[in-house]
């Protein structure tokens, strides 16, 4: 299935500095060995980005797993038959980290060298970030590398880290490579953080559960209580729980984050094209999550169900809905005006033409005029159920032409601040269920909220964001 362009990811076209984190499950394959083909494909994508002018920072896990595999092999080779009969002791994790890190960097050095890209090893510990001078020097060093098209490869220096399992740091600095990647994205002022995992993204439940659905955009207020996490990777330290926590921290700090699969080819490139892959974490996600979480089929099914509910209402019920909308508009005039002012300011800042901005402005008296027209509509004679024509087609058989609702309509209209309420009020009066394709604005969202309190309104708005016309 071909991925769709996601309008909520329009920011991707402006990305220049990227932090990419690859997890242990992506770096290693069966038996703890390097997944050469998979990791090579990722290196190729990063090299292409580097040559295209992107500033690429890589955070790589996998050192402990690689070191463990190498040390176990060495232990096996050096063991006698009698030694093998004894219970095998667990290898020291920090020793594994030291051995594995050299293997990991040797691979990156070899792969990137084939593509004429220089890499630099950057090992850090959580305690270092407590030092302001360290953070300043880190930033200066990385910026100097990026200027010379060098790709810094970060990893936690587990071999000398003083932290022990369960790897929770009381200072809240970082506790695994996911949180390290988030910290670096914030510290180095990246434009995007991509966390590559062994699954497509964040699911509503364990990915192995057929009932689990991929979440295209994470909204903390909506999803944090709904998600059921499965077991973490047997290889990595933190699993999806750690990724979500790190992603939320970065997103609320102003850095968009996407969790996606490191197994699928070209996923990094697809993210930068604005395609809907993986799960997006964004500080404004709560404003347009409805779009990202709703497919065209979901919208059509919801419209059909709501149409049936609307048709079941009496003429008096629909009249009361319209009167309540008019009252609610007047009661919330200050809120709506404030939201409209923010829309206008955003349009001006984006550099839209004056004629387009003028159509977005809500002029004085508009709310009162809109409320009056809705009340007038509510008092009109019910247009439904009226006998328009009678024809006697046979003796005792009379054919009646009666006005009835059309059912479900798709209405495409410009995103003037009053258009949403006008369209909804008219369709409610006619017992039509509608679904819209229009520019979602914060002022419009206020009006949609006012109507949703009275009937089960299931509609989907295509979020156009600041990159689209306001008119």
């Amino acid at each position: 299935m071909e991925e769709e362009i996601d309008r909520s990811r329009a920011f991707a076209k402006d990305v220049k500095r990227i932090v990419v984190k690859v997890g242990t499950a992506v770096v290693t394959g069966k038996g703890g060995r390097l997944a050469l083909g998979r990791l090579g494909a990722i290196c190729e994508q990063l090299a292409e980005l580097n040559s295209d002018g992107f500033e690429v920072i890589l955070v790589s896990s996998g050192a402990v797993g690689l070191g463990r595999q190498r040390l176990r092999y060495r232990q096996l080779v050096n063991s006698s038959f009698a030694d093998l009969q004894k219970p095998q002791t667990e290898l020291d994790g920090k020793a594994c980290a030291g051995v594995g890190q050299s293997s990991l960097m040797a691979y990156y050095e070899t792969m990137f060298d084939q593509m004429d890209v220089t890499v630099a090893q950057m090992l850090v510990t959580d305690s270092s970030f407590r030092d302001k001078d360290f953070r300043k020097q880190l930033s200066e060093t990385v910026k100097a590398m990026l200027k010379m098209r060098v790709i810094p490869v970060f990893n936690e220096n587990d071999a000398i880290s003083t932290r022990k399992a369960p790897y929770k740091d009381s200072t809240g600095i970082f506790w695994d490579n996911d949180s390290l990647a988030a910290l670096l994205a914030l510290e180095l002022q990246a434009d995007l953080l991509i966390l590559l995992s062994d699954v497509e993204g964040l699911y509503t439940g364990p990915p192995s559960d057929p009932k689990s659905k991929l979440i295209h955009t994470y909204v903390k207020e909506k999803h944090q209580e709904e998600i059921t996490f499965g077991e973490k990777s047997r290889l990595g330290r933190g699993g999806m729980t750690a990724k979500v926590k790190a992603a939320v921290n970065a997103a609320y700090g102003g850095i968009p984050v996407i969790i996606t699969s490191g197994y699928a080819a070209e996923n990094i490139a697809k993210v930068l094209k604005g395609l809907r892959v993986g799960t997006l974490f964004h500080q404004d996600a709560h404003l347009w999550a409805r779009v990202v979480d709703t497919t065209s089929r979901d919208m059509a099914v919801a419209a059909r169900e709501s149409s049936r509910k609307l048709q079941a209402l009496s003429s008096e019920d629909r009249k009361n809905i319209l009167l309540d909308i008019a009252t609610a508009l007047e009661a919330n005039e200050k809120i709506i005006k404030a939201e409209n002012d923010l829309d206008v300011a955003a349009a001006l800042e984006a550099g839209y033409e004056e004629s387009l901005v003028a159509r977005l402005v809500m002029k004085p008296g508009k709310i009162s005029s809109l409320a009056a027209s809705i009340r007038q509509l509510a008092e009109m004679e019910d247009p439904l159920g009226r006998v328009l024509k009678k024809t006697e087609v046979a003796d005792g058989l009379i054919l009646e032409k009666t006005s009835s609702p059309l059912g479900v309509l798709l209405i495409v209209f410009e995103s003037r601040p009053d258009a949403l309420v006008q369209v909804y009020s008219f369709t409610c009066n006619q017992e039509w269920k509608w679904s819209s394709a229009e520019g979602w604005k914060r002022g419009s969202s206020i009006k949609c909220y006012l109507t949703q309190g009275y009937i089960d309104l299931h509609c989907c708005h295509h979020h156009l964001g600041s990159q689209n016309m306001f008119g």
Side-chain angles (χ1 to χ4, degrees):
M1 180 178 175
E2 187 175 351
E3 291 85 359
E4 303 175 8
I5 295 290
D6 192 332
R7 296 182 185 275
S8 66
R9 303 189 185 193
F11 65 85
K13 71 181 183 64
D14 298 319
V15 168
K16 180 175 176 59
R17 182 173 294 176
I18 313 165
V19 176
V20 177
K21 185 264 178 179
V22 288
T24 303
V26 176
V27 173
T28 58
K30 293 181 179 180
R33 295 181 180 275
L34 278 173
L36 300 178
R38 185 162 60 235
L39 199 52
I42 293 173
C43 289
E44 284 188 25
Q45 292 182 71
L46 298 182
E48 288 180 10
L49 294 177
N50 186 66
S51 63
D52 289 340
F54 288 90
E55 296 178 344
V56 180
I57 300 164
L58 177 61
V59 179
S60 177
S61 299
V64 175
L66 282 175
R68 181 175 288 112
Q69 187 271 333
R70 292 192 64 183
L71 288 177
R72 277 179 177 169
Y73 174 76
R74 184 55 52 192
Q75 190 179 50
L76 179 63
V77 170
N78 295 330
S79 298
S80 65
F81 182 77
D83 292 332
L84 295 176
Q85 306 307 309
K86 300 175 183 178
Q88 299 298 305
T89 58
E90 181 65 27
L91 295 172
D92 182 78
K94 295 188 180 299
C96 293
V99 173
Q101 182 62 33
S102 61
S103 299
L104 188 62
M105 276 310 300
Y107 175 82
Y108 283 128
E109 181 75 29
T110 301
M111 282 300 302
F112 281 112
D113 187 58
Q114 297 300 314
M115 295 173 277
D116 295 323
V117 176
T118 302
V119 294
Q121 176 176 267
M122 304 288 287
L123 297 177
V124 295
T125 59
D126 57 319
S127 58
S128 300
F129 282 89
R130 299 188 181 96
D131 187 345
K132 183 179 180 181
D133 292 333
F134 166 82
R135 297 199 304 272
K136 180 181 179 182
Q137 185 59 59
L138 175 69
S139 179
E140 291 177 356
T141 301
V142 172
K143 287 179 181 178
M145 290 179 178
L146 296 176
K147 189 175 182 180
M148 294 184 287
R149 297 288 180 87
V150 174
I151 297 181
V153 181
F154 279 88
N155 195 1
E156 180 179 3
N157 197 351
D158 286 310
I160 62 172
S161 174
T162 57
R163 288 186 294 108
K164 304 289 184 181
Y167 298 104
K168 292 182 179 179
D169 186 45
S170 60
T171 64
I173 298 175
F174 74 86
W175 51 92
D176 58 15
N177 274 344
D178 292 310
S179 56
L180 171 60
L183 176 61
L184 289 172
L186 291 166
E187 198 72 39
L188 301 174
Q189 299 178 330
D191 301 312
L192 175 65
L193 168 60
I194 301 176
L195 301 177
L196 296 180
S197 179
D198 56 348
V199 292
E200 291 298 325
L202 177 62
Y203 287 80
T204 53
S208 58
D209 187 345
K211 296 181 180 180
S212 297
K213 293 183 178 180
L214 178 64
I215 298 172
H216 294 295
T217 294
Y218 178 86
V219 180
K220 184 177 180 181
E221 296 80 2
K222 175 183 178 181
H223 293 121
Q224 65 178 349
E225 300 299 332
E226 297 179 359
I227 297 174
T228 302
F229 291 102
E231 294 182 2
K232 77 177 189 69
S233 165
R234 63 182 177 82
L235 300 171
R237 181 183 301 174
M240 188 57 71
T241 305
K243 285 180 174 56
V244 171
K245 185 176 181 180
V248 169
N249 289 341
Y252 276 74
I255 311 296
V257 183
I258 291 179
I259 298 177
T260 188
S261 174
Y263 286 21
E266 303 297 328
N267 258 4
I268 298 175
K270 290 177 180 178
V271 166
L272 293 175
K273 290 177 183 177
L275 298 181
R276 185 184 293 183
V277 293
T279 302
L280 170 65
F281 294 73
H282 195 286
Q283 62 180 354
D284 295 331
H286 62 285
L287 299 176
W288 29 263
R290 172 193 302 252
V291 179
V292 182
D293 288 342
T294 305
T295 65
S296 299
R297 176 176 174 77
D298 292 335
M299 179 177 66
V301 171
R304 180 188 63 189
E305 296 302 317
S306 294
S307 174
R308 293 168 178 170
K309 293 179 182 180
L310 183 58
Q311 291 176 26
L313 297 176
S314 67
S315 175
E316 189 66 22
D317 288 335
R318 287 184 284 110
K319 174 182 177 180
N320 290 333
I321 288 173
L322 295 177
L323 293 176
D324 286 344
I325 290 173
T327 300
L329 285 171
E330 292 175 331
N332 292 275
E333 182 172 2
K334 290 184 179 180
I335 298 175
I336 296 172
K337 184 63 172 65
E339 294 293 327
N340 182 248
D341 289 342
L342 292 174
D343 281 343
V344 173
L348 292 171
E349 184 179 352
Y352 289 101
E353 298 178 8
E354 291 184 6
S355 59
L356 295 178
V357 177
R359 295 168 70 176
L360 183 65
V361 175
M362 183 174 290
K363 299 178 181 179
K366 186 63 179 179
I367 292 294
S368 298
S369 174
L370 188 59
S373 64
I374 293 175
R375 290 192 176 98
Q376 184 179 2
L377 180 64
E379 298 299 337
M380 290 175 60
E381 181 182 357
D382 191 346
L384 301 174
R386 294 165 53 194
V387 178
L388 305 178
K389 184 179 179 180
K390 289 186 178 183
T391 303
E392 186 173 1
V393 295
D395 187 23
L397 179 62
I398 300 176
L399 179 66
E400 292 185 351
K401 181 180 180 181
T402 307
S403 60
S404 60
L406 292 179
V408 179
L409 297 180
L410 172 65
I411 302 177
V412 181
F413 58 93
E414 63 181 3
S415 56
R416 289 180 292 105
D418 54 344
L420 180 63
V421 176
Q422 290 174 334
V423 171
Y424 172 68
S425 298
F426 179 69
T427 55
C428 178
N429 185 53
Q430 301 290 321
E431 277 193 13
W432 299 346
K433 179 65 193 78
W434 64 281
S435 188
S436 74
E438 56 100 22
W440 180 271
K441 300 296 171 288
R442 302 202 307 164
S444 294
S445 66
I446 288 291
K447 299 185 187 70
C448 187
Y449 166 75
L450 294 175
T451 62
Q452 282 179 324
Y454 304 106
I455 69 168
D456 187 14
L457 177 61
H458 290 278
C459 61
C460 175
H461 298 272
H462 290 291
H463 171 72
L464 301 182
S466 61
Q467 303 300 325
N468 294 272
M469 295 178 62
F470 286 79

